[in-house]
Amino acid sequence: MPSDIDAALINAEQEAQRLRQQAEQEAAMAVALPLRFEQNMAAFRQYIPHIADMYETYQPTRPFRFFCNENGQPNLAWLDDDVAVYGKEPYLICETLVTEFMERGGLSKFSFGKEANPLGFMHVEYLNKLNAYLDDISAKEMLLTHVPNEVPTALVFGVGLGYHLGYLYEKCKVGTLFLFEPDLDLFYASLFCFDWAPLLTYLHQENLGLHILLGQDEETIVRDFSLAIHRRGAFLITNAFVMWGYQNDKIKELMKKVQQEYHLLAMGWGFFDDNLIALSHTINNIERAVPFLLKGKKIPHHLSRVPIFIIANGPSLDQSIEVIKKNKDKALVISCGSAISALHKIGIRPDIHVTVERTKIVYDFLSSLNDSDYLKGTLLLTTDVTHPDCSALFGQSIFTFKRNEPGAALLKSYFPEIQHYAEVGGVNPLVGNIGVSAPVHLGFKNIYLFGLDNGYKDKGHHHSRFSAYYNNKTNAQILGELMYGDNQWQRKGNFGGMVISNAMFDTSRRVIEQILATHDDVRCFNCSDGVKIEKAMPLPSVEISLSAPIDKSSVIKEILALCAPISLSKQDVEPLLDIEFFNTFIDKMISEWQHDFTSRNEINQLMLRNFGYLEQIFATRQRHIARTMIGSMNYVFTLLSSILYSFEGEEKTLVLMQPAIDLWLDFLEKTKEMYPQALDSVDMIDNEVMKLFRT
């Protein structure tokens, strides 16, 4: 048995040997890392050049050093606190991380439930059929309980030194990877440690997507993610595999932020029938010679501080009625949608009324006020997709092109004079959005919000009690249930406490915040006892103190001076629909889906390829066709993807896919029948919901 001295000598020799090995490994690493960096930069230069540009002469903001143990695996330690990114076995840690996420995790689910279809939309009919089929097979078939070896989308938070990416692709073919890294220094370090070059080559050869989202600012990363996913196909948010590569406060906050904003990615897609109605309404409104807002025109500077009261129909409007009455001559009063029924009941005539919905129910609702003199004294401010009969109800009207609609896309492609007309964004998803966006666009900078609650505190009090929602007690309850939806959550209140919100309300809030964030010179006071809106100062309405009456007629006159009618007819536009090209596009997709598929990934790649056609069409004069199809393709592909990645057994799943694919093919055939009538699709259907507004 060795003595204590012998044992100490043996231990010392072993430690010396370990240190020699580590020194040799670190010497080898010092040679290998710069070479790997050069190879990786060359690959990025070839495949993702903006990353190469970013890191060509990059200097880390937080100093670090590379080191390795005797295992030779490169690791990183920050010099300021000597904390390493990984423990002693970086490769094993990353491999275990991927294995555990895949075995214990699942795919995010994002689906759309069955909808009522009072207007008989073909899109809704087929979406309901697909939903019913998915529900039926979900009740019978074995559901997928783990992450399969092929996934359509992955969201990976944190690059670290990149090692987990290699293990992820060893175990799983990822159709499109969204890679989030808020630490620019760490990504720079990964260029030395991880073999990016062979991974990028593999992704290119297999036609797999990669979007790298870098930046210190959460808002910027989330915005870039939204842009990237909409470009590649918003349906990809369905069935996403989500994992993190390392954890710290930045990564946790970023994951939380993306989770909070996730529902925004599924808002405002539109759909085929809706887009045909939009095209028809645009042309019909133009033919009626209504004036359209000109591009770049603003109200005179001396009127920019005129107080603007934006009146929405949220429940807290009731608390502000007396203040609005008292100050109505001292501000320009803008009513939003159904809020006009509350103002009508209490005897306040809005100076401007804004709408955003395109279906006939808007015209029917306004007509139900049964007071033509009341409306004749109000200016209608709305978008090109509004029902063309609406303008006849008002004494004067102003229209503007709504961003991301097929009408503006078509007209701007062929008629140079349309470039002189404004295209306004931020007007969706609710009418309160155009209520804020329109006056800000016109140049007004002093805005007060009333009843713009984007939620409610009491489930029985969902709108102003003065409005037509409460014409009948029983109907008010039904309308409330229609509005609530299934998904509800809590949001911070404008005056404290919490407010019940949902996806639509939350998206509306977010859009208003974006408008205000890009117009720092606008003073916005939120007098609504609803959801808190960033950049809008909470102000109880009783604290409003305005000095003197304004000359409203002169303000309206100046607004009208910013507009001009458009001299075009349906006959000018109809040949430009390009029915032949539309049919060629649809037939190409039909032929590609009439195919025997051998893997989930093959179908996922086809959906991506179909979506890629839209991006190509967007770059041509036929961009209105892409705009017409994009929403329905997102919705249908969301459900096809849900079926594709919900069940055990790839072969069995491919059999289950066929009835769903047949529905998609039927849908495409129907679009060919309907598209030639695009300019004769004015909504003429009475919405049953109107009955609920009657006494």
Side-chain angles (χ1 to χ4, degrees):
M1 178 179 292
S3 66
D4 289 345
I5 293 174
D6 291 336
L9 288 171
I10 292 169
N11 288 339
E13 179 58 32
Q14 288 174 342
E15 178 62 13
Q17 176 66 17
R18 188 189 70 78
L19 290 173
R20 279 195 299 273
Q21 287 178 347
Q22 184 170 343
E24 289 169 4
Q25 292 284 9
E26 291 200 339
M29 182 186 74
V31 174
L33 265 53
L35 291 174
R36 186 178 288 124
F37 178 82
E38 292 303 321
Q39 291 167 350
N40 287 336
M41 287 293 285
F44 273 108
R45 179 70 61 203
Q46 181 179 354
Y47 298 114
I48 314 179
H50 77 271
I51 298 287
D53 292 341
M54 183 183 298
Y55 285 106
E56 194 74 60
T57 57
Y58 184 79
Q59 293 296 317
T61 56
R62 187 182 179 192
F64 60 79
R65 65 180 176 88
F66 292 115
F67 72 96
C68 67
N69 298 321
E70 58 272 21
N71 59 21
Q73 298 171 12
N75 203 341
L76 177 149
W78 303 106
L79 296 186
D80 52 11
D81 57 13
D82 204 34
V83 172
V85 174
Y86 304 109
K88 289 185 177 180
E89 298 285 343
Y91 295 174
L92 180 61
I93 289 168
C94 291
E95 184 179 20
T96 304
L97 188 70
V98 170
T99 300
E100 289 186 351
F101 266 110
M102 289 194 65
E103 288 177 355
R104 298 179 188 176
L107 302 181
S108 67
K109 293 298 174 188
F110 205 110
S111 60
F112 304 94
K114 187 176 180 182
E115 284 185 44
N117 191 18
L119 303 183
F121 288 136
M122 188 264 288
H123 164 92
V124 177
E125 176 193 345
Y126 276 87
L127 220 61
N128 283 343
K129 287 179 179 178
L130 283 165
N131 264 311
Y133 177 65
L134 176 56
D135 289 344
D136 181 50
I137 56 178
S138 295
K140 300 173 184 174
E141 304 295 337
M142 188 177 295
L143 297 174
L144 198 61
T145 56
H146 58 93
V147 179
N149 60 7
E150 289 184 354
V151 297
T153 317
L155 276 58
V156 176
F157 292 86
V159 173
L161 298 183
Y163 303 139
H164 54 290
L165 299 178
Y167 293 113
L168 174 62
Y169 280 98
E170 279 180 13
K171 293 176 179 291
C172 186
K173 179 175 275 191
V174 181
T176 305
L177 173 65
F178 294 93
L179 187 56
F180 300 81
E181 180 51 78
D183 191 326
L184 298 179
D185 290 349
L186 259 182
F187 191 88
Y188 175 64
S190 79
L191 296 171
F192 291 88
C193 298
F194 176 61
D195 285 321
W196 281 102
L199 176 61
L200 293 177
T201 301
Y202 163 76
L203 297 180
H204 178 72
Q205 289 170 348
E206 295 292 320
N207 195 32
L208 302 175
L210 171 64
H211 294 269
I212 299 174
L213 301 151
L214 300 173
Q216 306 283 0
D217 176 27
E218 285 174 15
E219 291 284 344
T220 303
I221 289 181
V222 172
R223 187 186 68 238
D224 290 347
F225 172 49
S226 176
L227 290 170
I229 209 160
H230 277 106
R231 190 166 58 246
R232 190 153 173 89
F235 69 92
L236 289 171
I237 61 174
T238 311
N239 305 300
F241 168 53
V242 182
M243 68 169 287
W244 45 262
Y246 67 90
Q247 280 216 302
N248 61 19
D249 290 342
K250 271 188 180 179
I251 292 293
K252 288 176 183 175
E253 282 302 310
L254 183 57
M255 291 182 74
K256 182 179 174 184
K257 182 76 173 173
V258 170
Q259 185 180 24
Q260 285 175 345
E261 306 278 319
Y262 212 58
H263 64 274
L264 298 176
L265 300 172
M267 300 296 292
W269 288 354
F271 57 91
F272 180 72
D273 316 53
D274 211 31
N275 286 319
L276 295 192
I277 289 172
L279 268 168
S280 192
H281 287 183
T282 297
I283 301 309
N284 273 268
N285 281 317
I286 287 172
E287 284 196 314
R288 290 179 182 233
V290 295
F292 273 68
L293 188 63
L294 292 161
K295 189 176 182 179
K297 298 287 187 179
K298 306 288 183 187
I299 48 114
H301 181 71
H302 71 277
L303 294 177
S304 64
R305 290 295 170 189
V306 167
I308 306 295
F309 282 6
I310 297 169
I311 317 291
N313 200 21
S316 75
L317 175 59
D318 297 349
Q319 303 163 21
S320 301
I321 292 296
E322 291 306 315
V323 173
I324 295 167
K325 277 184 177 179
K326 181 181 173 183
N327 291 278
K328 65 183 176 65
D329 296 326
K330 302 172 185 177
L332 206 65
V333 177
I334 300 179
S335 60
C336 303
S338 60
I340 197 170
S341 63
L343 295 181
H344 180 253
K345 188 170 285 187
I346 60 179
I348 297 175
R349 189 205 309 271
D351 305 297
I352 297 174
H353 179 66
V354 295
T355 66
V356 73
E357 287 289 334
R358 67 196 69 197
T359 49
K360 183 172 171 282
I361 194 171
V362 175
Y363 171 80
D364 292 336
F365 185 88
L366 291 166
S367 298
S368 71
L369 295 178
N370 201 25
D371 191 343
S372 59
D373 290 341
Y374 178 80
L375 295 177
K376 290 295 182 187
T378 297
L379 170 70
L380 174 66
L381 199 168
T382 189
T383 72
D384 59 310
V385 302
T386 295
H387 196 283
D389 289 346
C390 287
S391 60
L393 297 172
F394 293 84
Q396 296 171 305
S397 300
I398 291 176
F399 282 64
T400 182
F401 287 110
K402 183 168 173 265
R403 195 172 293 162
N404 298 330
E405 292 285 354
L410 173 59
L411 296 176
K412 288 191 173 185
S413 291
Y414 290 96
F415 303 102
E417 63 269 29
I418 301 300
Q419 303 297 334
H420 300 301
Y421 289 87
E423 199 173 349
V424 178
V427 300
N428 269 10
L430 299 175
V431 71
N433 293 105
I434 189 173
V436 175
S437 180
V440 168
H441 182 87
L442 290 171
F444 290 104
K445 303 183 187 304
N446 195 14
I447 289 172
Y448 297 78
L449 311 179
F450 301 91
L452 216 161
D453 296 356
N454 284 321
Y456 45 88
K457 292 184 175 180
D458 173 8
K459 202 169 182 182
H461 188 190
H462 47 77
H463 287 83
S464 165
R465 295 196 191 279
F466 291 101
S467 71
Y469 277 84
Y470 289 90
N471 285 346
N472 177 292
K473 187 176 179 181
T474 303
N475 291 350
Q477 186 174 349
I478 298 169
L479 283 162
E481 293 301 327
L482 285 173
M483 187 194 70
Y484 299 140
D486 296 328
N487 298 316
Q488 297 170 20
W489 50 79
Q490 301 282 318
R491 287 289 180 258
K492 287 182 181 177
N494 186 42
F495 298 126
M498 303 302 287
V499 177
I500 303 167
S501 187
N502 61 25
M504 192 76 78
F505 283 140
D506 211 47
T507 305
S508 174
R509 169 192 62 82
R510 204 63 191 85
V511 170
I512 293 170
E513 289 177 345
Q514 289 165 357
I515 293 287
L516 296 177
T518 53
H519 294 84
D520 286 337
D521 54 345
V522 172
R523 290 195 315 163
C524 183
F525 301 98
N526 190 359
C527 309
S528 315
D529 189 12
V531 171
K532 179 179 174 61
I533 298 172
E534 295 295 333
K535 308 286 185 184
M537 188 184 305
L539 179 70
S541 56
V542 293
E543 295 182 14
I544 292 174
S545 178
L546 301 181
S547 54
I550 62 170
D551 183 354
K552 297 191 177 195
S553 62
S554 67
V555 178
I556 296 295
K557 186 178 178 182
E558 292 289 357
I559 295 173
L560 287 166
L562 308 177
C563 311
I566 298 169
S567 182
L568 286 175
S569 69
K570 189 166 80 171
Q571 287 69 35
D572 296 324
V573 177
E574 199 149 29
L576 308 176
L577 288 174
D578 204 339
I579 295 165
E580 184 180 353
F581 180 85
F582 182 86
N583 289 340
T584 301
F585 167 47
I586 299 299
D587 285 341
K588 182 172 178 59
M589 288 198 291
I590 288 172
S591 67
E592 290 177 343
W593 281 93
Q594 292 171 329
H595 178 73
D596 292 329
F597 298 102
T598 58
S599 71
R600 288 186 175 107
N601 185 57
E602 195 177 350
I603 295 178
N604 183 60
Q605 288 293 331
L606 177 54
M607 288 190 284
L608 289 170
R609 187 159 74 248
N610 283 181
F611 217 85
Y613 299 153
L614 293 179
E615 189 169 8
Q616 294 171 34
I617 296 169
F618 269 122
T620 72
R621 277 187 157 189
Q622 287 87 1
R623 62 179 62 92
H624 63 281
I625 289 174
R627 181 62 61 203
T628 301
M629 287 298 298
I630 188 170
S632 285
M633 285 175 66
N634 264 321
Y635 279 109
V636 172
F637 287 177
T638 292
L639 285 168
L640 292 183
S641 186
S642 290
I643 296 168
L644 192 59
Y645 291 96
S646 288
F647 304 101
E648 285 283 2
E650 190 166 43
E651 285 187 28
K652 175 70 173 174
T653 295
L654 295 176
V655 174
L656 293 173
M657 281 297 297
Q658 196 53 54
I661 291 171
D662 289 342
L663 285 170
W664 168 229
L665 292 173
D666 286 348
F667 176 87
L668 290 175
E669 291 288 358
K670 286 278 176 54
T671 65
K672 289 169 63 180
E673 295 173 21
M674 293 172 65
Y675 183 70
Q677 281 76 49
L679 301 187
D680 295 303
S681 301
V682 171
D683 181 24
M684 302 300 290
I685 299 172
D686 295 329
N687 194 320
E688 293 175 6
V689 173
M690 266 309 298
K691 296 175 185 175
L692 300 174
F693 288 105
R694 299 190 175 109
T695 54

